[in-house]
Structure formats: structure tokens, C-alpha cells
Amino acid sequence: MKKKISAILITALLLTASAVPVFAGTYTEDGTASALVTAEVISSYSIVLPAAITLTDPDEDGTYTGAYTIGAKGNINVAKKRACAPTTPTFTMTGNNGTNVTASVSQTIRAWVNSNSPASGQKSINDTESGGTFDNYSTVEGAVSAPISHAGTYSGNMEFTFGLTDL
């Protein structure tokens, strides 16, 4: 019980100490002074990734393809970018017939930036509506292809890597 009371008192003391304002100086004559006011808005975003991608071969040439869309929205610092791309350019698809094939991934745009960012060649994430909220997802397209010649059902996991990094 003594430990609990001590912990509560120490916590209260720390909270009180952190609330003490920092003074710029002491003034003894009339005049003016200024105080620096700061605020930090942390970058925030959300992304939408496909849960499944179905490959088909409409022209029957043995190359099965499928498209996917990923999207991002949010409020990103102008010095940051939000990257999202397939982790590797290829992955293995395993068939129920014992055959493996290598699927290839292509995605040209791999990052989003703040619409006020000086970075060129990136897609803007800060699409705003009239209310100033970031409700619209900014989307990019990608594709998966695999050469499949043996009958069967094939599946594999394509992984995405995403995160916020400096420009």
C-alpha cells in the first residue's frame, strides 16, 4: 500500500512540475516583449490496399494479368512523403498441381507528397474537399502478371511496404 501511495505522490509531483511555465525574462521598466508560440500537427494518413487480385488471360496468350488500385489520403508535412509499393518486384504463385510460377509486379508511382511540397514527380495526397477535410483518396494503379501454362489453381501472397519518410 505504501508503494502505491508513493507512486501516486511521485506522479502528481511530476505532473505539477511539467506544468510550470518557462519565463523569458524579468522586466523592470515599461516596454514590450514577445513570446514564441508553437504548435506541431503530426502527419497522418490512411491507405487502401487490395485484399485480393484475380489474374485472367483474356487474349489466351499464356500471360495472366490483373490490375489493382491503392489509395492514400491524409495530411502530410511538406518535408515528408508517404510511400506505398510492393515489397518485391516478383513473388511466387504455387499451383495446386505442384507447379510454381513467378509473378511480376509493376507500379510506377510509389509515393505521395503534400500538395504544397517542392518534390516533383510524386502524386499529391492532399486532395481536399470544400470543407477542408482530406476525404478523397488519391489513387495509383499497378499490375501483376504471371506466365501460366499448366492447368490448375494458383495463388501467392504479394506484400506491400508502406510508411512515412523524409523527402
Side-chain angles (χ1 to χ4, degrees), residues 10-149:
I10 290 172
T11 302
L13 179 64
L14 289 173
L15 289 173
T16 305
S18 66
V20 175
V22 176
F23 295 103
T26 303
Y27 303 97
T28 59
E29 296 181 18
D30 294 347
T32 62
S34 63
L36 176 65
V37 178
T38 63
E40 182 178 3
V41 178
I42 303 298
S43 296
S44 63
Y45 66 88
S46 61
I47 61 168
V48 175
L49 298 171
I53 303 165
T54 301
L55 306 183
T56 60
D57 186 12
D59 55 5
E60 299 180 4
D61 66 352
T63 300
Y64 284 72
T65 59
Y68 65 88
T69 302
I70 60 176
K73 70 177 181 177
N75 185 5
I76 294 180
N77 183 307
V78 295
K80 302 280 186 184
K81 68 180 177 180
R82 205 273 312 139
C84 181
T87 303
T88 60
T90 62
F91 63 95
T92 301
M93 295 180 70
T94 302
N96 65 352
N97 56 12
T99 304
N100 291 339
V101 297
T102 300
S104 299
V105 183
S106 64
Q107 180 182 314
T108 55
I109 297 175
R110 301 168 99 56
W112 287 262
V113 295
N114 183 299
S115 56
N116 295 317
S117 174
S120 61
Q122 308 284 341
K123 186 148 183 154
S124 173
I125 194 173
N126 291 64
D127 293 335
T128 61
E129 289 189 341
S130 59
T133 59
F134 301 98
D135 291 334
N136 298 327
Y137 277 93
S138 175
T139 60
V140 297
E141 305 296 319
V144 179
S145 64
I148 301 174
S149 57

